[in-house]
Every structure is written in C-alpha cells, then in structure tokens.
C-alpha cells in the first residue's frame, strides 16, 4: 500500500504524518517552526528562509519514513495544482514563487502543495463528513476563518488561489469590526476562535480563549452564550450567500470553534434558511467535521497521492 508524507503548516508549528492510501496514520509528529518570523529584506533571503525552514522540519521525518510523495497544506494562495505560490499574507516577499518545485528539488521527491483550508476541504471530501459529495464547501473556524471548495469532484482555487476567502465575506455593513485584511465587518471578525475570545474579553474584562468561552457558555454565562450564538448567526448568513452563488447542498465545518457545535449550529441553521431563496430553504446540510484537526493532513496526503 502506497504511503505518503503529509504536512500541515500552522502559525507556530508544523504537523507531519505518514499516511497510507486508506487514510490511516502510521506515524506522526509535531515540529516547532514559525514561518512568518523572518526579517529578511530581500526576496532571495525570504526564499532561503522558507525553503530551509521547511526542509529542516521535513527531512528527518522523511529519512525515517521512505514515501512515494509529499503533500503540504500551506497558509498561502496557489495557482491551481502548479505549486506556484501566488501570494501569502505572512510572506509578502514571496509572490509568484515556485515553492512546490523548489521543495521538490531540495527534498529529492515529488511535492504537491496547496492552500491549507483547501487541503482541509479535500481531506473532508475524501475521508470525512463530505464523503460521497461531488460538491462541498468546507469551512475552518480557527485563528481565522478559512474556506475550501470542491466543485464536480475537483478542488476549485480561482485564478490566483484566492477563491473562497470565506472569512472575508462581509456580514456587518455598518460600523463593523476591523479585520486583519484591512476591511471591516468580515465574518472572521465575529466567528473565528480569535474573535470569540476577543469579544468575550471586551464584554467581561476576562481573558479567555475560545474553549474557555465555550465552557463558560455551557456553565450558564449569558455573555459567552450570546457571543457564540451571534457567531452562529453570522456563519449562517455567510453560508447563505455562498449557497446562493453555488447551489451547494453540503457544508462541513472544522476548527477550534466547531467544538461549540451544539451552541452555534441551531442559530446558524435558522439564519441560513431565513437568508436563502425559498426553493433552497431546508435543502442545505451543515455538518460538523468528522476529521477535526486531521482534515488538513488527510487532504495533503490526498494531493500527494494524486500528483
Ligand atoms: Zn477581512
């Protein structure tokens, strides 16, 4: 059975796994690597920094586990399946960089690389709650809000890999909260784990991450419950806009905030159906991921075995 090496690049660390064709994890590890912490001034420095960081993290695991290919989920925008990084918010010097090819040359093996949220969508469709669906919208509710789209069985990236910037759909049009993208009123400013934590601190003066906010809501804290309810409402509103464009029946959701599913799902569905056009009401399922944090790694494994 063919085995591939899958990597999922996070903000401060990198997860690696040896995965077989059936999606079984044979080995895995976590390596510290902060890929946005670079202060290089030239493109060449930035290229060397990213290539060295990734190769240093991946090489030891690769030597221990011979594989037929490597797949990587990366926080950036890629031109289709080419491995060309069109842009990355954390690495502004690396526009139009052939990251997949350069890594392949360094590591001496085929490397497939794609946007991390899109990898999660691919993983969910191949191995998780999206199985059997030719069309799937997958949403990740983590530090930010990401989206990945599968259309007619194929990942859809857009012209520059920037399709489904779901977190930056505008859900509040007047006096919206500022978003990291430079706009205001974006979904990410209300429905990411980061936003939930921030909203709770602003309201109560208590520092708490999204998991604690969820626990507080379960314990009867009305402020925490209202913040999570509003996250669900805004998610429902944004999903309705996507469904009106795409006529998709299945949406899956993963990421830290999805653990609060029983609190966000009811308001989400109510708002979704309120905002859909009548023929679509009641036709859309929004399902919690069955893969959780492993969706991205499994999607990376899937693109490695396809390439
Ligand atoms: Zn935004």
């Amino acid at each position: 059975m063919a085995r591939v090496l899958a990597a999922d690049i996070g903000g401060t660390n990198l997860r690696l796994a040896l995965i077989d064709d059936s999606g079984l994890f044979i080995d895995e590890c976590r390596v510290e690597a902060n890929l946005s912490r670079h202060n290089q001034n030239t493109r060449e420095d930035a290229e060397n920094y990213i290539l060295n960081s990734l190769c240093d993290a991946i090489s030891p695991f690769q030597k221990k586990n011979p594989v037929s290919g490597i797949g990587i989920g990366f926080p950036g925008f890629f031109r289709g399946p080419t491995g060309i990084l069109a842009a990355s918010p954390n690495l502004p010097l690396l526009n139009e960089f052939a990251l997949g090819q350069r890594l392949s040359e360094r590591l001496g093996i085929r490397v497939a690389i794609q946007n991390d949220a899109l990898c999660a969508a691919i993983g969910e469709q191949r191995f998780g709650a999206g199985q059997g669906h030719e069309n799937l919208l997958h949403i990740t509710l983590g530090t930010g809000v990401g989206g990945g789209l599968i259309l007619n069985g194929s990942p859809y990236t857009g012209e520059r890999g920037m399709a489904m910037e779901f977190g930056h759909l505008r859900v509040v049009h007047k006096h919206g909260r500022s978003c990291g993208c430079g706009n205001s009123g974006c979904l990410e400013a209300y429905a990411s784990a980061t936003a939930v934590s921030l909203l709770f601190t602003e309201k109560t003066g208590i520092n708490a991450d999204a998991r604690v906010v969820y626990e507080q809501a379960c314990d009867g804290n009305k402020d925490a419950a209202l913040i999570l309810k509003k996250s669900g409402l805004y998610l429902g509103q944004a999903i309705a806009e996507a469904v009106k464009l795409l006529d998709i029946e299945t949406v899956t959701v993963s990421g830290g905030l999805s653990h609060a599913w029983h609190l966000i799902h009811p308001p989400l569905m109510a708002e979704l159906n309120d905002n859909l056009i009548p023929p679509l009401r009641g036709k859309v399922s929004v399902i919690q991921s069955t893969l959780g944090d492993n969706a991205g790694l499994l999607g990376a494994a899937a693109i490695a075995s396809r390439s």
Side-chain angles (χ1 to χ4, degrees), residues 167-169 179-184 186-189:
H168 302 289
L169 289 181
C179 178
C181 73
N183 290 335
S184 62
C186 296
L187 178 65
E188 184 165 296

Coordinates of all heavy atoms in Angstrom, one line a residue, residues 167-169 179-184 186-189, ligand 1:
G167 N -13.8 33.8 5.1 CA -13.8 34.6 6.3 C -13.9 36.1 6.0 O -14.1 36.9 7.0
H168 N -13.7 36.5 4.8 CA -13.8 37.9 4.5 C -15.0 38.3 3.7 O -15.1 39.4 3.1 CB -12.5 38.4 3.7 CG -11.3 38.0 4.5 ND1 -11.0 38.7 5.7 CD2 -10.4 37.0 4.4 CE1 -9.9 38.2 6.2 NE2 -9.5 37.1 5.5
L169 N -16.0 37.4 3.8 CA -17.4 37.9 3.4 C -17.9 38.9 4.4 O -17.7 38.6 5.6 CB -18.3 36.7 3.3 CG -18.1 35.7 2.2 CD1 -19.1 34.5 2.3 CD2 -18.2 36.3 0.8
C179 N -11.0 44.1 10.5 CA -10.5 42.7 10.2 C -9.0 42.9 9.7 O -8.6 43.9 9.2 CB -11.3 42.2 9.0 SG -10.7 40.5 8.5
G180 N -8.3 41.8 9.9 CA -6.8 41.8 9.6 C -6.6 42.1 8.1 O -5.5 42.4 7.7
C181 N -7.6 41.9 7.2 CA -7.5 42.0 5.8 C -7.5 43.5 5.4 O -7.2 43.9 4.3 CB -8.5 41.3 5.0 SG -10.2 42.0 5.1
G182 N -7.9 44.4 6.4 CA -7.9 45.8 6.1 C -9.4 46.3 5.9 O -9.6 47.5 6.0
N183 N -10.3 45.4 5.7 CA -11.7 45.8 5.6 C -12.4 45.7 7.0 O -11.7 45.4 8.0 CB -12.5 44.9 4.6 CG -12.0 45.2 3.2 OD1 -11.6 46.3 2.9 ND2 -12.2 44.2 2.4
S184 N -13.7 46.0 7.1 CA -14.4 45.8 8.3 C -15.7 45.0 8.1 O -16.2 45.0 7.0 CB -14.7 47.2 8.9 OG -15.5 47.9 8.1
C186 N -16.0 41.8 8.4 CA -15.8 40.5 7.9 C -16.3 39.4 8.9 O -16.2 39.6 10.1 CB -14.3 40.2 7.6 SG -13.7 41.3 6.3
L187 N -16.7 38.3 8.3 CA -17.1 37.1 9.2 C -16.0 36.8 10.2 O -16.3 36.4 11.3 CB -17.4 35.9 8.2 CG -17.8 34.6 8.9 CD1 -19.1 34.8 9.7 CD2 -17.9 33.5 7.9
E188 N -14.8 36.8 9.7 CA -13.6 36.4 10.6 C -13.6 37.2 11.9 O -13.1 36.8 12.9 CB -12.3 36.6 9.8 CG -11.1 36.1 10.5 CD -9.9 35.9 9.5 OE1 -10.0 35.0 8.7 OE2 -8.9 36.6 9.7
A189 N -14.1 38.5 11.8 CA -14.0 39.3 13.0 C -15.1 39.0 14.0 O -15.2 39.6 15.1 CB -14.2 40.8 12.5
Ligands
LIG1 ZN1 -11.4 40.6 6.3

